[in-house]
Amino acid sequence: MSLIKIENLSKIYKSEEVETPALQNVSFSIEKGEFVAIMGPSGSGKSTLLHILGFLDKQTSGKYFFDGKTLDELSDDQMAAVRNQKMGFIFQAFNLLPRTSVLDNVKLPLLYSGIKESEWNKMAESAIESVGLSHRLNYEPAQLSGGEKQRVAIARALVLNPSIIFADEPTGNLDSKSGQTVMEIIQKLNEEKGHTIILITHETYTAEYAGRIMRLRDGKIESDGKVDYRHGAGEFRK
């Protein structure tokens, strides 16, 4: 069973009497453990698709199955619970709380998890260690570089060990060296930890860390296939 299955999904935004189609009859599946990059120019529908896949928005028509269940079967509270427990999010703007330590930023998803508070520090420290920032535990975001901020955001996304991680232009605010470090961490999460990754990017170099690239244009899938070469994987893929 696919982790994600999309059938004839469309999204139309309405403003007064004007209808703007963002996605048009899109269909695809994503298996557990895949690393998929979604590419496309501005206005192609990639951010809209990410929002729907991450339960942040709903489609106008079509079906979205997550882990075998259609969104129609889930209440808003159930969707929020799935989003908290099974999904992690990494955004271009980091979205860290200022004047709040690295440790406390990473603990944020645990507030709504139902996990005992006595476990929170241990779980957050483990996630922070996995991105190589144990020495920054008590630092605040203003004391960190851009690359370090994004690594904190990755740790926050990881703290509940989600099934899937959505990364929306995670290197967009970083220099090339920091961006490479972040992408290597994300690739490692996929290859060594088995997390399913969905990456939104406009950069071909970044997309090639994935095993599969889907290209959108005008709300439709233009192409979808395995990449010829994965950065860091050390192998060409036929």
Side-chain angles (χ1 to χ4, degrees), residues 42-70:
S42 179
S44 63
K46 60 185 188 296
S47 292
T48 297
L49 180 57
L50 177 78
H51 289 159
I52 293 172
L53 295 179
F55 291 7
L56 301 171
D57 198 0
K58 290 187 177 181
Q59 70 270 26
T60 304
S61 62
K63 292 282 188 183
Y64 173 20
F65 296 88
F66 181 82
D67 219 4
K69 289 189 176 181
T70 175

Side-chain angles (χ1 to χ4, degrees), residues 20-23 40-48 216-220:
T20 304
L23 294 169
S42 179
S44 63
K46 60 185 188 296
S47 292
T48 297
L216 297 182
R217 184 174 295 276
D218 299 328
K220 299 177 181 177

Side-chain angles (χ1 to χ4, degrees), residues 64-92:
Y64 173 20
F65 296 88
F66 181 82
D67 219 4
K69 289 189 176 181
T70 175
L71 260 63
D72 299 336
E73 298 176 36
L74 302 175
S75 68
D76 288 345
D77 286 346
Q78 287 173 323
M79 287 174 65
V82 171
R83 188 166 56 239
N84 179 253
Q85 295 164 15
K86 296 189 175 183
M87 298 178 175
F89 295 87
I90 305 165
F91 298 102
Q92 179 177 343

